[in-house]
Amino acid sequence: MLPGLAGVPAQRVSAPPAFAVLAACFGALGPPPDVVVAGINDGHNTGRSVLHSSTVGAALTASTAGRSALAVSRGDRPGARFATAAAVGTAGCCSAAASTA
């Protein structure tokens, strides 16, 4: 169970993010998701760094499988907060799910 989200199913997979997303999108963990939110990645996913990002790779895998996806990262400068990235990711997830309903 996720803290503060009683009743929301959650799965844990010991694998790279893109593999976990692939398994979920093809029904290995239950019904496929409507939207995938990958992250929160600690660091920037810009420029050439995006080629090595598991967070972006997971979102691209979801997109390839026909699912809406969002990769959420936060900068690594002092004072950057995970809470802000989480709020953006949650807002993106909810608005994407609403637009596909």
Side-chain angles (χ1 to χ4, degrees):
M1 182 181 325
L2 298 171
L5 297 172
V8 175
Q11 299 287 336
R12 180 178 176 185
V13 178
S14 183
F19 182 83
V21 167
L22 187 66
C25 287
F26 287 98
L29 305 174
D34 294 324
V35 64
V36 170
V37 179
I40 303 169
N41 180 64
D42 186 15
H44 301 283
N45 281 326
T46 57
R48 284 184 254 165
S49 297
V50 78
L51 299 175
H52 307 286
S53 169
S54 295
T55 305
V56 173
L60 289 173
T61 298
S63 179
T64 299
R67 305 293 173 197
S68 296
L70 173 68
V72 180
S73 300
R74 69 166 198 103
D76 57 1
R77 68 175 193 245
R81 297 178 302 266
F82 278 102
T84 303
V88 170
T90 302
C93 170
C94 296
S95 63
S99 68
T100 60

